[in-house]
Amino acid sequence: MSAAQYPAVSVIMPVLNEERHLRNSVRHILEQEYPGEMEVVIALGPSADRTDEIAAELVAEDPRVHTVPNPTGRTPAALNAAIKASRHPVVVRVDGHGMLSPNYIATAVRLLEETGAQNVGGIMHAEGENAWEDAVAAAMTSKIGVGNAAFHTGGQAGPAETVYLGVFRREALERADGYNVEFIRAQDWELNFRIREAGGLIWFSPELKVQYRPRPTVKALAKQYKDYGRWRHVVARYHAGSINLRYLAPPTAVVAIAAGLVLGATVTPWALVVPGGYVAAIVAGSLPAGKGLSLKARAQIPVALATMHMCWGFGFLTSPRSLAKRVIASRRPAMTDNSETV
C-alpha cells in the first residue's frame, strides 16, 4: 500500500482505574509508524484514581486523542460508546493496560486487506513488572495454563474462533450492532461468534502482539478468572454449540479434586491420588514455563496456575442460569438493527 491507500483508523479504549498504565498505553498507540490518519477515543468509566486527570492531560497534549463518558463503567458499554464517537473505517481495540507492538496497526490493516477478514488479532503477550506478575505471565502463556488458545500461546496464522482485542472493519461492527452490553466479561468471544455466525472471517496472526500487564495480586487474579468462567458459561447457554472440551477441563478438574478430597477424608485415602496428581502436574508444568525467571517467580507459578484453573472452573460451575436467561432475553432480533447501540 502507498501512504494514500492506508485507511484512517480509530483506536478505541475502555478505561477504568488505569492510572498505572494509561499514559504508556496511549504512547504506544501514538508512536505507531502508520501512514494513515488516526484518532484515539478513550471511554472513561467512573475511576477512583487519577485516570480522568491523566486522560485530560493526554487530550491537551495531542489533538488526535478524545474522550467520551462511560458512566456504567462496564467494558462493552465503553466500547460501544467509543465506537459511536469514532469515525474511521478501521477500528482498533486497545485496553488501558495494553501496549501495542511497533507497527501493530500497519500490520493489522495489511492483514485485513490480504485475508478479507472482518477482524484480525494476535497474541496477548503477558509481561510482568515483579515476581508475582512474572509468574502469572508465565502461567498465562503456557499450554498447561490456558490450553491451546493461540492468542495466549502463539501458533500458525489462520482462521480463529476469537482473537485478543481485535482490529475490525467498521461495517462488521455495525452489522453486528456492536458489543452486547449484557456481557460484562467474554464480550470479545461473544461478538466474534456473532460475526462468524453471519459469515465473517476472524483471523489470527502471530505477527500481531499486544503487551499485557497481569493482575497484581492473587485476589485480583482469582476474581478475573472466576468472572471468565462465569461468563463463558453464559456464552455457552446463549450460543448453543459454542462450547468445546478445552472449556470443560477446568470445571471437571474442580469437581474431581473436590470429590477426591471429600472421599479421601471420609472413605479411602486412595481418593487423594486425584488432588495429589493435580498438584504434581502443575508443579511439573511450571518448570518449563518458568525458564529464565527468578527463583521467586518460578516458585509462584504453581499458585498462579491453580488460581486460574480452580477459579475459572468454580465460576463456570456456579454461573447462575438466571444470568443466562436475562442475557438471552436481551438478545436483539436483527443484527442490522442499530437502535440499541450505546
Side-chain angles (χ1 to χ4, degrees), residues 55-134:
E57 293 170 356
L58 292 167
V59 170
E61 292 165 8
D62 196 303
R64 293 173 292 177
V65 182
H66 314 281
T67 61
V68 292
N70 173 36
T72 70
R74 294 182 171 186
T75 298
L79 291 165
N80 284 347
I83 291 167
K84 185 176 180 180
S86 66
R87 54 198 172 91
H88 295 322
V90 175
V91 179
V92 181
R93 176 182 171 176
V94 181
D95 285 344
H97 48 271
M99 316 295 165
L100 298 186
S101 58
N103 296 315
Y104 177 92
I105 293 176
T107 302
V109 169
R110 172 177 60 80
L111 289 171
L112 284 174
E113 178 68 21
E114 290 177 353
T115 65
Q118 302 301 302
N119 179 22
V120 300
I123 295 174
M124 179 182 180
H125 186 61
E127 287 189 4
E129 295 182 324
N130 54 49
W132 165 251
E133 291 181 2
D134 285 342

Side-chain angles (χ1 to χ4, degrees), residues 221-223 225-226 229 306-316:
L221 183 69
K223 182 181 186 305
Y225 272 79
K226 186 189 77 172
T307 302
M308 291 161 56
H309 294 161
M310 295 299 101
C311 292
W312 201 103
F314 179 79
F316 189 93

Side-chain angles (χ1 to χ4, degrees), residues 175-218:
R175 280 197 300 270
D177 208 13
Y179 291 82
N180 187 325
V181 296
E182 296 293 336
F183 279 87
I184 309 307
R185 295 287 185 272
Q187 66 274 156
D188 293 306
W189 203 102
E190 195 277 334
L191 172 62
N192 284 320
F193 182 93
R194 285 187 286 121
I195 291 174
R196 290 187 290 110
E197 196 176 39
L201 174 65
I202 310 299
W203 187 266
F204 166 81
S205 173
E207 292 183 76
L208 299 172
K209 288 186 179 181
V210 181
Q211 190 180 86
Y212 168 86
R213 298 299 187 204
R215 295 297 193 270
T217 64
V218 175

Side-chain angles (χ1 to χ4, degrees), residues 10 38 59 63 86 99 108 110 114 121 124 137 151 162 186 197 216 220 226 237-238 249 257 276 279 297 304-305 325:
S10 297
M38 182 170 63
V59 170
S86 66
M99 316 295 165
R110 172 177 60 80
E114 290 177 353
M124 179 182 180
F151 69 87
T162 191
E197 196 176 39
K226 186 189 77 172
R237 287 167 169 159
Y238 187 75
I257 290 168
V279 172
L305 287 169
K325 288 181 178 178

Side-chain angles (χ1 to χ4, degrees), residues 144 257 261 272-286 302 305-306:
I144 192 173
I257 290 168
L261 290 172
L272 296 174
V273 168
V274 175
Y278 172 76
V279 172
I282 62 172
V283 169
S286 71
L305 287 169

